[in-house]
Amino acid sequence: MQNMIPKCSRLKSLNGVVSSLIQTNTVQLTARRFSTERDDGPRKEHMDDEKRVPAAGKYRSAWKILHEEMEGIKTMKPPGTKVPREADVLIVGGGVIGSSVAYWIKQRNPKGSNVVVVERDPVYTRASSMLSAGGIRQQFSVPENVQLSMFTSQFLRNIKEHLTVIHESPPDVQFNHQGYLFLAPPRDAEQLAANVHMQRELGAKTVLLTKHQLGTRFPWLNLDGIECGSLGLEGEGWFDPWSLVRALQQKNLSMGTTYVHGDLISLEKEKMSTGRDQLVSGVIRVMNGQEFEVKFSLIINCAGPWAADVAEMAGIGQGEDILAVPLPVAPRKRFVYVSHCPEGPMLDCPFVIDPSGAYFRREGFGGHYICGSSPTEDQEPDVANFEVDYDFYDEVVWPRIARRVPVFNHSKLKSAWAGFYDYNTFDQNLVIGPHPYYKNFFFANGLSGHGLQHSLAVGRGIMELVLDGGYQTINLHKFHFDRLLTQTAVREQGIV
């Protein structure tokens, strides 16, 4: 195997002492309060010794490191954290994308690379994928997006083979193979038919249904204004996001990946012989306020809605020429509502996408339904908090789904939550691959609501770039950062 990751030099004096005292790869810390506000204030150049641990690679005695790692015990603060001083690959963000990247790199050769994942919310209470509707579909208009979802669906079918860990129960993501149903008015019928033709050529089990066929198959639908629909017969539906993330994390830990509970707060660079800068290290702040420098060979940005903040730490969008172009990813808040309608459609209910932008799907077998709709630009909610806008349900979502399924007029709202999309404001599509200036800075960002269903294939694509020097399965070059420099948008008509 050709491995393109250069190995960092190893610290020799401390590993035995520290590893004998700390026998875990994951960080056992109490989750701190999540904040969506950025700390834009200048970072102090000189920190107190209690907060800033000396730079990675510098010699210190074993006793000094032991004191630093465990100093929280004597002050009754949370104990010190085991933060590796060096890594071959530093992944920023340990959600479904970051954990997928770590999995694919480690599974090629578990002992061949040192992978560190930095995650500030280790229980994933605010992770985008955890707060999604859990859907997976192959019905896209861009062929690569179809292929990304097809691979994820195939992976989930064989998840026990891929992610089972010895002495742990085999993973079960509770995949409901109910399919997606896209409804189209007359103006969109031709495009929908073209999409289905392309999807079928790629191997997706998608069919085009006439209005009459829709009425026969789903008699509970009101088909006023509908010309046709497309239905996924295989590999589409919804599953439990938490089960997938947990299974990936468990597998990664079993292969030696280190998860660190903390924030990346800065990146450091050095001038290379070529005249260009290269990123060489980052500073991680852990829960008790300590800061650790970690040297790396590669850094992969999987920070979801906050990916632009990580890019800015590297100077992306802050400099001149190539570095003047920012990563166009921002958090966008979306609401998911749960309603109850005992008389509603049951086992024959797919994940329905209405032309109005509203969606709904069955949740369990007790007459509950998950529903929502993307807001227009002038309806975009404030991202400063996770409060739910219930008026949006009453004024937008409920009227739309009740018009399409008349029995929903008798439904009752039971609960709701809010979550963030890592929204690509340029073209709502994936940004992947290396930055054209920093060759060791990789993106896996901006999936705009498709992160869960594309995560496993995106992680594999990053692995292929890193270890093989190019894509071996799905060619994702059209999603590289370079398209932002040339203003070449990738337009996906299947955005929900």
Side-chain angles (χ1 to χ4, degrees):
M1 178 187 66
Q2 181 184 2
N3 191 330
M4 295 188 63
I5 307 177
K7 300 293 290 181
C8 288
S9 60
R10 308 297 184 191
L11 296 179
K12 298 179 180 179
S13 60
L14 309 172
N15 292 343
V17 174
V18 176
S19 61
S20 65
L21 293 170
I22 307 174
Q23 297 292 329
T24 181
N25 283 323
T26 187
V27 179
Q28 305 293 330
L29 290 175
T30 305
R32 64 178 172 82
R33 181 180 179 85
F34 180 92
S35 173
T36 61
E37 298 180 359
R38 290 184 52 202
D39 180 7
D40 287 321
R43 188 172 61 85
K44 292 182 180 179
E45 294 296 332
H46 302 286
M47 307 289 293
D48 293 336
D49 289 340
E50 294 182 357
K51 297 296 184 183
R52 184 66 181 272
V53 175
K58 293 185 178 180
Y59 173 78
R60 288 171 293 147
S61 73
W63 299 114
K64 177 65 175 175
I65 281 197
L66 180 60
H67 173 74
E68 290 166 354
E69 299 278 358
M70 308 301 290
E71 64 90 28
I73 294 177
K74 65 180 181 181
T75 60
M76 300 304 292
K77 293 187 295 185
T81 299
K82 180 183 178 183
V83 180
R85 300 299 191 269
E86 296 176 339
D88 297 321
V89 180
L90 180 65
I91 298 173
V92 185
V96 68
I97 298 291
S99 291
S100 172
V101 171
Y103 164 75
W104 285 107
I105 292 176
K106 290 296 286 186
Q107 65 87 33
R108 277 280 291 267
N109 187 353
K111 297 185 182 299
S113 56
N114 175 15
V115 177
V116 175
V117 180
V118 182
E119 172 57 49
R120 64 179 177 179
D121 180 19
V123 293
Y124 303 110
T125 55
R126 298 303 186 187
S128 298
S129 297
M130 300 301 102
L131 300 173
S132 71
I136 178 172
R137 59 186 168 96
Q138 300 164 10
Q139 297 185 59
F140 289 92
S141 64
V142 175
E144 290 81 358
N145 284 335
V146 178
Q147 293 174 299
L148 290 170
S149 286
M150 288 179 64
F151 175 75
T152 297
S153 178
Q154 180 185 18
F155 186 99
L156 293 178
R157 284 194 187 97
N158 303 300
I159 190 171
K160 293 180 181 179
E161 175 184 343
H162 296 302
L163 299 184
T164 294
V165 176
I166 190 169
H167 303 313
E168 296 286 346
S169 300
D172 179 10
V173 296
Q174 303 172 41
F175 197 158
N176 291 269
H177 296 266
Q178 297 296 120
Y180 267 67
L181 175 63
F182 276 78
L183 301 174
R187 68 176 184 275
D188 297 330
E190 185 177 350
Q191 180 63 56
L192 188 67
N195 291 346
V196 170
H197 178 73
M198 177 269 293
Q199 294 155 11
R200 291 179 63 86
E201 284 193 327
L202 291 174
K205 301 299 188 292
T206 312
V207 295
L208 189 69
L209 302 176
T210 64
K211 184 174 184 176
H212 176 72
Q213 290 172 322
L214 287 170
T216 302
R217 190 159 188 160
F218 307 110
W220 38 267
L221 278 175
N222 170 22
L223 296 173
D224 290 348
I226 299 300
E227 178 71 15
C228 60
S230 61
L231 176 66
L233 301 178
E234 185 178 308
E236 290 191 340
W238 56 92
F239 62 94
D240 178 22
W242 166 247
S243 296
L244 175 59
V245 174
R246 181 176 180 273
L248 282 168
Q249 188 182 62
Q250 280 190 333
K251 187 67 174 181
N252 290 341
L253 292 172
S254 73
M255 294 188 293
T257 297
T258 300
Y259 279 78
V260 173
H261 178 191
D263 273 322
L264 180 74
I265 61 172
S266 69
L267 289 170
E268 307 297 333
K269 57 190 175 183
E270 289 182 0
K271 187 73 69 175
M272 308 303 290
S273 58
T274 59
R276 283 197 174 194
D277 294 323
Q278 178 164 309
L279 299 168
V280 294
S281 66
V283 176
I284 297 172
R285 180 183 293 153
V286 298
M287 179 183 165
N288 64 5
Q290 277 189 294
E291 296 178 3
F292 298 85
E293 182 183 30
V294 179
K295 288 188 174 182
F296 54 77
S297 295
L298 296 176
I299 181 169
I300 303 173
N301 185 355
C302 303
W306 318 112
D309 295 351
V310 176
E312 287 179 6
M313 293 179 196
I316 297 170
Q318 308 292 305
E320 300 178 351
D321 299 326
I322 293 177
L323 290 175
V325 179
L327 177 65
V329 173
R332 292 287 178 89
K333 187 160 70 173
R334 296 292 181 261
F335 308 115
V336 180
Y337 304 93
V338 180
S339 64
H340 185 235
C341 183
E343 300 82 21
M346 292 300 291
L347 291 178
D348 64 338
C349 181
F351 202 131
V352 180
I353 309 297
D354 190 71
S356 66
Y359 67 83
F360 65 88
R361 69 163 176 84
R362 177 177 56 80
E363 175 68 5
F365 302 99
H368 289 92
Y369 299 85
I370 282 179
C371 55
S373 182
S374 293
T376 60
E377 286 294 329
D378 60 334
Q379 294 173 327
E380 282 291 348
D382 184 9
V383 298
N385 56 60
F386 282 87
E387 294 178 1
V388 174
D389 184 351
Y390 291 96
D391 290 337
F392 187 73
Y393 176 81
D394 292 333
E395 299 169 6
V396 177
V397 178
W398 190 12
R400 291 176 178 178
I401 64 173
R403 177 177 181 272
R404 190 57 59 204
V405 184
V407 73
F408 281 164
N409 280 296
H410 308 295
S411 63
K412 300 293 183 182
L413 181 64
K414 291 297 184 180
S415 62
W417 67 84
F420 287 138
Y421 276 5
D422 56 330
Y423 191 83
N424 180 347
T425 59
F426 179 63
D427 61 10
Q428 294 83 63
N429 266 304
L430 168 69
V431 179
I432 192 173
H435 188 268
Y437 184 85
Y438 296 114
K439 300 300 184 181
N440 68 334
F441 186 102
F442 283 70
F443 301 97
N445 310 121
L447 285 103
S448 304
H450 307 142
L452 182 64
Q453 56 193 307
H454 289 171
S455 58
L456 291 163
V458 167
R460 184 181 62 169
I462 290 288
M463 177 270 291
E464 292 171 350
L465 285 177
V466 170
L467 298 182
D468 299 316
Y471 297 115
Q472 306 299 304
T473 50
I474 306 172
N475 188 341
L476 301 175
H477 273 110
K478 69 166 54 176
F479 298 123
H480 278 207
F481 189 92
D482 296 2
R483 80 181 190 275
L484 305 175
L485 305 179
T486 60
Q487 291 293 292
T488 306
V490 178
R491 298 300 181 190
E492 170 58 65
Q493 289 151 1
I495 298 293
V496 177

